[in-house]
Amino acid sequence: MEKQIAAIYDQALVESKTYEWLDHLSNKIGGRLSGSLNAERAVEWGKEELKALDLDRVWLQPVMVPKWVRGTFEYASIESRPGNSINVPVCALGGSVATPAIGLRAQVVEVQNFEELKTLGRKEIEGKFVFYNRPMPADDINTFEAYSQTVNQRSQGALQAVQYGAVGVIVRSMTLRADDFPHTGGMSYGDLPRNQRIPAAAISTNGAELLSSMLALNPKLTFFLKQDCKNYPDVPSHNVIGEIKGSKYPNEIIVVGGHLDSWDLGDGAHDDGAGIVQSMEVLRIFKNLNYQPKRTIRVVLYMNEENGLRGGKEYARVAKEKKEQHIFALESDAGGFTPRGFSFDGSDDAFKKVSSWKPYFKPYLVDYFVQGFGGADIGPLKDETIVLAGLRPDSQRYFDYHHAANDTFDAINKRELELGAAAMSSLIYLVDQHGF
Ligand SMILES: [Zn+2]
């Protein structure tokens, strides 16, 4: 076992294709929001690259995806008095409606959470922007945990604010860093009728601090927002899938993957280009080592994680329909940073089993194994028997880039990216050898 894992690491660190692949995906294709031309180019690219690996089978799985288009870039300013305005960086949240073509100008009410909306009531909120300014808590060592404690402002903020007559929402960006990048992300209006939907935008953390301090001085200041994003009917797209057939238990399927779509502001290098190329690398390494897996190893490049999860849902639906037996699914969707370990979502017995493999990972400093979330795209595969897992890279810098214009190839460290692929390949190798 140790020898094979050492060989996997050699492959990943010396002969890696991950960086070259990610360069292409980031710089030749770029941001690839579901329904966009770039997303289709990424599908085509993924298919061709998997074919070049000489796998047993490569195919596209059709799936309908939402199409939301940002339009021309957004504009916002704080107006302390007529003729005196300061621009602030904003971006529309994914799924948001546009402002009127001439823009939207209104006073602002700043809140930390939904309870405050209730306390203030319609009287204080009607006709104004609601400005959600609760920062990600800095005292949580796991930044994903900090993110999950604040993200409801973004995902549900408009739906909540509209109940009190707000005309729009401005949401503090989900990052711990003080900078000028607004971070987009998915939001939902729930069942709200079309004519009641209000525009939602993110503001950079520096912009949020500025707005908050200016509001303290002048609660009657006005905010101006202009955005012309639009929702279109669903369009066809694809998951990209490739597999090496198992030699002994071909019906037992092990899946590794990430999501091929990304937000549109950057080029999605960390989210989730890194996970895509690392997952492809697992199969490349096995092919290059002439490793014949006992079980079927499948790579899935899921479409539409960011604003719909349609690809993950469709993959699981088809798997169920075909009565395929998935024993293990691994996702990399937490950035291309130095890997620390994995989180596992399965039975206690399964966790005991994977924990017994920790000594293999210790020399590579990647033996942090915990029970917890696997990944969004593989979530729909969950049943009583499958084990889901997620690569857990160091999370401290992830939200510096997450869903923002600076999530670009230059933010990727080649070696850290490769180490992630090596850790994933090692884990897949052990699962293939031992099963569950
Ligand atoms: Zn992601």
Side-chain angles (χ1 to χ4, degrees):
M1 297 289 151
E2 285 90 347
K3 253 194 169 159
Q4 188 69 11
I5 290 171
I8 286 171
Y9 268 81
D10 286 352
Q11 267 292 324
L13 295 174
V14 180
E15 310 224 3
S16 173
K17 282 272 275 186
T18 52
Y19 198 64
E20 189 189 318
W21 274 332
L22 190 54
D23 185 8
H24 188 98
L25 190 57
S26 302
N27 291 323
K28 297 280 183 344
I29 296 176
R32 42 198 178 278
L33 191 56
S34 293
S36 67
L37 179 60
N38 272 5
E40 292 322 291
R41 291 172 65 204
V43 165
E44 211 36 54
W45 168 85
K47 187 181 78 178
E48 290 310 315
E49 289 298 334
L50 289 182
K51 275 188 176 164
L53 294 182
D54 193 27
L55 306 178
D56 294 325
R57 194 175 159 220
V58 173
W59 71 102
L60 297 182
Q61 181 175 64
V63 58
M64 294 298 287
V65 297
K67 182 178 168 84
W68 175 84
V69 174
R70 183 173 302 280
T72 49
F73 280 83
E74 305 81 354
Y75 173 86
S77 59
I78 304 169
E79 300 175 346
S80 50
R81 55 189 160 79
N84 192 348
S85 71
I86 303 171
N87 289 1
V88 280
V90 293
C91 67
L93 294 181
S96 174
V97 296
T99 59
I102 54 158
L104 185 58
R105 183 177 275 103
Q107 289 187 5
V108 179
V109 54
E110 176 180 343
V111 299
Q112 293 278 309
N113 51 49
F114 299 154
E115 289 71 57
E116 254 183 86
L117 293 178
K118 209 180 283 173
T119 313
L120 287 165
R122 180 171 275 270
K123 212 169 134 261
E124 295 292 325
I125 296 170
E126 190 158 37
K128 296 179 184 167
F129 281 105
V130 165
F131 167 38
Y132 292 102
N133 194 26
R134 182 167 86 254
M136 269 171 62
D139 56 357
D140 206 322
I141 195 69
N142 180 345
T143 62
F144 282 88
E145 189 53 45
Y147 175 69
S148 74
Q149 285 179 42
T150 40
V151 73
N152 70 343
Q153 301 172 105
R154 189 193 78 206
S155 55
Q156 303 294 316
L159 182 58
Q160 292 292 326
V162 85
Q163 318 296 334
Y164 302 93
V167 294
V169 297
I170 307 149
V171 184
R172 181 190 181 97
S173 286
M174 309 286 144
T175 176
L176 285 156
R177 202 160 78 157
D179 64 20
D180 298 320
F181 292 104
H183 294 232
T184 191
M187 57 83 61
S188 165
Y189 294 110
D191 298 329
L192 208 60
R194 277 181 192 283
N195 60 358
Q196 291 176 29
R197 299 178 179 189
I198 58 172
I203 184 168
S204 71
T205 48
N206 281 347
E209 290 297 321
L210 180 68
L211 177 56
S212 182
S213 58
M214 288 179 72
L215 276 170
L217 295 171
N218 176 11
K220 291 204 166 355
L221 63 76
T222 57
F223 192 84
F224 177 78
L225 175 69
K226 192 172 184 306
Q227 60 188 31
D228 75 344
C229 42
K230 195 173 170 185
N231 284 292
Y232 290 86
D234 290 356
V235 295
S237 187
H238 297 89
N239 292 326
V240 184
I241 309 175
E243 72 178 21
I244 306 174
K245 262 260 172 284
S247 56
K248 204 166 170 194
Y249 312 109
N251 293 332
E252 291 191 18
I253 299 169
I254 295 170
V255 163
V256 59
H259 62 86
L260 193 52
D261 64 307
S262 80
W263 283 107
D264 56 332
L265 296 173
D267 61 41
H270 277 293
D271 188 12
D272 183 24
I276 286 295
V277 299
Q278 287 170 331
S279 300
M280 291 163 63
E281 177 78 349
V282 174
L283 279 79
R284 189 200 67 79
I285 288 175
F286 288 170
K287 286 298 284 187
N288 255 41
L289 290 176
N290 270 322
Y291 174 66
Q292 259 307 325
K294 294 182 186 175
R295 296 167 166 87
T296 294
I297 315 275
R298 202 177 268 180
V299 56
V300 185
L301 317 181
Y302 299 94
M303 182 50 67
N304 185 229
E305 188 272 347
E306 295 293 2
N307 57 339
L309 206 63
R310 300 279 185 86
K313 288 175 179 165
E314 181 62 9
Y315 181 81
R317 188 194 69 77
V318 172
K320 206 162 278 177
E321 188 181 83
K322 291 189 170 167
K323 296 194 166 55
E324 288 178 340
Q325 189 196 354
H326 284 70
I327 66 158
F328 183 67
L330 172 61
E331 179 152 359
S332 169
D333 183 20
F337 300 97
T338 304
R340 303 289 193 213
F342 299 93
S343 58
F344 296 92
D345 178 5
S347 68
D348 289 347
D349 280 350
F351 186 64
K352 226 179 256 168
K353 185 159 193 173
V354 296
S355 295
S356 73
W357 302 336
K358 266 165 60 165
Y360 297 123
F361 291 89
K362 199 161 188 237
Y364 303 99
L365 312 176
V366 64
D367 58 336
Y368 172 75
F369 285 20
V370 287
Q371 282 181 291
F373 182 63
D377 297 289
I378 58 176
L381 283 170
K382 192 167 169 65
D383 60 21
E384 300 82 55
T385 58
I386 194 171
V387 180
L388 308 177
L391 180 71
R392 288 290 154 254
D394 186 290
S395 75
Q396 302 311 320
R397 282 177 291 143
Y398 185 55
F399 290 94
D400 293 0
Y401 306 106
H402 184 251
H403 298 180
N406 61 340
D407 181 4
T408 48
F409 185 64
D410 59 292
I412 295 281
N413 176 287
K414 179 173 183 284
R415 195 165 171 86
E416 292 180 357
L417 181 72
E418 292 165 354
L419 285 167
M424 290 164 67
S425 305
S426 304
L427 180 62
I428 297 278
Y429 163 71
L430 288 164
V431 173
D432 179 52
Q433 285 291 307
H434 301 290
F436 281 110

